[in-house]
Amino acid sequence: MGKYILKRIAQAVPLLLIISIICFTLIQLAPYNAVDAMTNPKMSKKTIELIKIKYGFDKPAYIQYLYWLKGILTGQFGYSIVTHESIFNDLASRIPATMILVLPSYICALILSIILGLMAGLNKNKLADKIIDGFCSIGISIPTFWFAMILVFIFGYELGILPILGMHTIGINSTADFLKHFIMPFIVLTFAFMPENTRYVRSSTIGQLSEDYVMVQEAFGASKFEILFKHVLKNVLLPIITKLGMALPMLITGGVITETVFGWPGVGPYFIKAIQGLDYPVVMAVMVLSSTLVILGNLISDILYVVIDPRIKSMR
């Protein structure tokens, strides 16, 4: 077990290095750079050169990369070239707000997905399955921002029962006020996360219901619901571990569009503003953070697989 974990960690380190190089290279290849964001055509060449020297943009690309990588490894993400604030401090203040919104949404979506997926798998090609599949098709087809704007129009403008923007009303810091702001983005994210997971559970359920152990249980007189929740559910939940691991980056970047639409003070608006303002240090920091969480999620999934499934443990 220990050897396997060390092996997976050893494999993750060079992958993270490659990802950091790719992220840095993509930024370097962008048609506009950080200097363009800080200068204007009226500035003299001397002034522009001084700005380049101040921020280290006069050095070769590989030197810039080494300085940037050193900062990332030491927890120093640098400073925003627009606000001049510490990127680490900005992210530290925004990540909790994002997690407060995304984590409950994903957990709720996962629970509903398991229930609906089991129902659809149990009633394959029947009315319940068609209704659930139709709901999933609609959910996958509808853009998140469009659904968010529909909710804003109905409950914010027309009915006026829910606030449109922010996490709190200015001057009010009560739980009730927070929940009012929380409801719409929570519904949007839950609706966005649910369809794919539901179809995943449905396909796993159908596969498990065709296994021999199900026929044995039926021969012993077990009811459909007893088979479903006592036997099939345990085997269906095992692959969900992979989905849980892959959901880790969603805790940071899973609600970018939704947060931006609702003005939620998380990573989403911060990232979008950085892109619009050509604030490349912020863009690179968020990209590397998200990529790191993807690799970490895969690592956690693999380890949980080994811990939970004895068959996989024996193969290692």
Side-chain angles (χ1 to χ4, degrees):
M1 167 68 91
K3 289 182 179 179
Y4 173 70
I5 294 174
L6 290 175
K7 180 182 176 182
R8 291 291 289 112
I9 293 174
Q11 291 173 346
V13 171
L15 188 57
L16 285 171
L17 183 63
I18 292 171
I19 288 174
S20 69
I21 294 173
I22 292 173
C23 290
F24 185 84
T25 303
L26 288 175
I27 293 299
Q28 291 293 315
L29 293 175
Y32 299 98
N33 55 39
V35 177
D36 295 325
M38 294 183 286
T39 59
N40 60 69
K42 295 181 180 180
M43 289 183 176
S44 64
K45 291 184 178 180
K46 185 177 180 181
T47 302
I48 294 174
E49 286 299 320
L50 289 174
I51 292 174
K52 288 182 178 180
I53 293 171
K54 179 180 178 181
Y55 290 95
F57 295 123
D58 60 318
K59 297 179 174 60
Y62 72 93
I63 298 294
Q64 294 182 42
Y65 168 75
L66 292 175
Y67 279 128
W68 173 72
L69 181 62
K70 179 183 177 182
I72 293 292
L73 293 176
T74 56
Q76 299 296 322
F77 295 105
Y79 294 86
S80 165
I81 60 177
V82 175
T83 64
H84 306 291
E85 297 290 334
S86 168
I87 297 173
F88 180 84
N89 292 338
D90 285 343
L91 289 175
S93 64
R94 292 174 178 273
I95 287 175
T98 294
M99 292 182 67
I100 287 172
L101 174 62
V102 177
L103 184 59
S105 302
Y106 192 82
I107 291 174
C108 181
L110 190 63
I111 293 171
L112 292 174
S113 297
I114 292 171
I115 295 171
L116 293 176
L118 288 171
M119 289 177 59
L122 184 63
N123 298 281
K124 180 183 177 183
N125 296 329
K126 294 182 181 179
L127 180 61
D129 182 30
K130 292 179 180 179
I131 292 174
I132 293 172
D133 186 60
F135 166 79
C136 291
S137 299
I138 293 172
I140 293 172
S141 303
I142 293 178
T144 304
F145 73 89
W146 184 85
F147 183 49
M149 293 177 70
I150 291 296
L151 292 185
V152 167
F153 177 75
I154 295 174
F155 296 102
Y157 284 106
E158 289 295 320
L159 300 178
I161 58 177
L162 292 175
I164 297 171
L165 297 173
M167 190 174 176
H168 293 284
T169 302
I170 298 176
I172 301 176
N173 199 24
S174 64
T175 303
D177 180 68
F178 166 76
L179 290 175
K180 286 182 180 179
H181 286 81
F182 178 79
I183 289 174
M184 284 199 290
F186 171 78
I187 291 174
V188 170
L189 285 179
T190 302
F191 186 74
F193 293 146
M194 199 163 39
E196 183 182 351
N197 287 330
T198 300
R199 286 187 166 180
Y200 190 82
V201 174
R202 175 188 177 273
S203 62
S204 296
T205 303
I206 292 173
Q208 289 298 319
L209 288 174
S210 62
E211 294 291 333
D212 293 339
Y213 73 88
V214 173
M215 291 187 288
V216 171
Q217 291 297 324
E218 288 176 345
F220 278 102
S223 65
K224 285 187 177 181
F225 286 97
E226 187 178 359
I227 294 172
L228 189 67
F229 289 102
K230 276 192 175 183
H231 304 283
V232 172
L233 180 60
K234 289 187 286 186
N235 292 312
V236 167
L237 289 180
L238 187 59
I240 296 295
I241 295 173
T242 303
K243 303 290 288 184
L244 289 175
M246 293 305 297
L248 189 59
M250 289 185 183
L251 297 181
I252 306 299
T253 57
V256 170
I257 296 175
T258 303
E259 286 181 339
T260 304
V261 171
F262 289 102
W264 192 267
V267 176
Y270 182 63
F271 185 53
I272 295 298
K273 286 181 181 178
I275 294 173
Q276 293 172 340
L278 303 178
D279 198 347
Y280 291 133
V282 174
V283 175
M284 286 193 294
V286 175
M287 287 172 63
V288 169
L289 180 60
S290 178
S291 302
T292 302
L293 289 175
V294 170
I295 295 173
L296 184 60
N298 276 314
L299 179 62
I300 292 173
S301 296
D302 290 344
I303 293 172
L304 287 176
Y305 250 60
V306 174
V307 171
I308 293 174
D309 195 334
R311 295 168 298 179
I312 297 176
K313 187 184 297 184
S314 62
M315 290 172 62
R316 301 297 177 187

